[in-house]
Amino acid sequence: MIRVSIPSYHKVVEDNNDSYTAFIIEVCIVATGKTLSVQKRYSEFEMLHKQLKKQIKTPEFPPKKMMKFSNKVLEQRRLALQTYLQGVALAEKIPKILLHFLDVEQYMYHGSQDSLDQLDVSNRTTHQSMIAFPPEVYLQDNRNGSWDIVSAGVLAALYNNVEDLVVR
């Protein structure tokens, strides 16, 4: 499973002074927590949409025709493209074309692009218990002289009984 967002966009000016708007796409691979960022222009989204609609039922794609490129219009397009990508990413089986578009296929387990659920997560950090008390310790009457120093410290701290903190 992946999470996709388009948090921003910016204007790119080429060497020949032509310009276009690049949308910054952030992709989080949920299984590993890895996040990466790619930039795509509207025409690349359009090509993706044409390929996807041959394979799956796609969400509504934002129209190309815009009267003027104001910040408000670009923000609306950014939100519409984000909604589109999120809709495609929610598919039960994420299309390979989308993985390629987002440049995440290299993070697939053994080169398989069938499902992100197959990612290698063996390096994931796990939590381990530091202190464990068996549940029956609280059921025993332990007043035979062998006092548990941890229990005594906790009880003394809870009840502000500083004199009981001294080890006997």
Side-chain angles (χ1 to χ4, degrees), residues 90-101:
L90 286 176
E92 187 175 318
K93 192 172 183 180
I94 300 172
K96 293 177 186 179
I97 297 168
L98 179 63
L99 298 176
H100 180 71
F101 177 80

Side-chain angles (χ1 to χ4, degrees), residues 3 11 17 19 40 45 49 60 78-80 85 88 91 95 102 111 114 121 127 133 140-142 146 161 163 167:
R3 284 186 300 203
K11 185 177 180 178
N17 287 334
S19 66
K40 300 289 182 179
F45 279 94
H49 177 66
E60 185 178 336
R78 179 195 70 78
L79 288 171
L85 281 181
V88 174
L102 298 172
D114 292 335
V121 293
H127 294 86
F133 294 101
Q140 298 173 1
D141 186 14
N142 194 9
S146 60
N161 197 353
E163 295 81 30
V167 178

Side-chain angles (χ1 to χ4, degrees), residues 62-88:
K64 182 176 179 107
K65 300 289 182 202
M66 293 187 355
M67 297 304 243
K68 59 180 180 174
F69 286 93
S70 68
N71 285 341
K72 182 179 178 182
V73 172
L74 288 171
E75 180 62 17
Q76 289 173 344
R77 179 174 272 184
R78 179 195 70 78
L79 288 171
L81 289 171
Q82 177 175 280
T83 302
Y84 175 80
L85 281 181
Q86 289 172 344
V88 174

Side-chain angles (χ1 to χ4, degrees), residues 1-160:
M1 185 171 150
I2 60 174
R3 284 186 300 203
V4 184
S5 66
I6 304 176
S8 63
Y9 58 88
H10 63 94
K11 185 177 180 178
V12 176
V13 180
E14 296 178 325
D15 293 334
N16 60 1
N17 287 334
D18 285 345
S19 66
Y20 63 90
T21 301
F23 295 91
I24 290 51
I25 306 167
E26 288 187 358
V27 184
C28 177
I29 301 171
V30 176
T32 62
K34 180 158 182 71
T35 301
L36 56 112
S37 182
V38 293
Q39 294 186 35
K40 300 289 182 179
R41 56 193 297 176
Y42 179 84
S43 59
E44 293 173 288
F45 279 94
E46 199 171 33
M47 288 176 13
L48 170 71
H49 177 66
K50 288 176 183 176
Q51 292 172 343
L52 282 173
K53 66 182 185 178
K54 294 175 185 175
Q55 296 180 3
I56 64 169
K57 182 174 176 14
T58 60
E60 185 178 336
F61 189 74
K64 182 176 179 107
K65 300 289 182 202
M66 293 187 355
M67 297 304 243
K68 59 180 180 174
F69 286 93
S70 68
N71 285 341
K72 182 179 178 182
V73 172
L74 288 171
E75 180 62 17
Q76 289 173 344
R77 179 174 272 184
R78 179 195 70 78
L79 288 171
L81 289 171
Q82 177 175 280
T83 302
Y84 175 80
L85 281 181
Q86 289 172 344
V88 174
L90 286 176
E92 187 175 318
K93 192 172 183 180
I94 300 172
K96 293 177 186 179
I97 297 168
L98 179 63
L99 298 176
H100 180 71
F101 177 80
L102 298 172
D103 294 332
V104 296
E105 70 266 298
Q106 66 266 28
Y107 301 104
M108 303 305 294
Y109 182 69
H110 296 298
S112 170
Q113 296 178 350
D114 292 335
S115 171
L116 285 174
D117 294 332
Q118 297 176 6
L119 284 173
D120 181 14
V121 293
S122 60
N123 293 332
R124 184 183 292 178
T125 305
T126 59
H127 294 86
Q128 296 179 349
S129 302
M130 298 302 290
I131 295 177
F133 294 101
E136 62 275 358
V137 77
Y138 299 106
L139 301 175
Q140 298 173 1
D141 186 14
N142 194 9
R143 296 186 188 164
N144 59 3
S146 60
W147 185 251
D148 182 9
I149 194 163
V150 175
S151 296
V154 170
L155 290 173
L158 287 173
Y159 296 106
N160 296 324

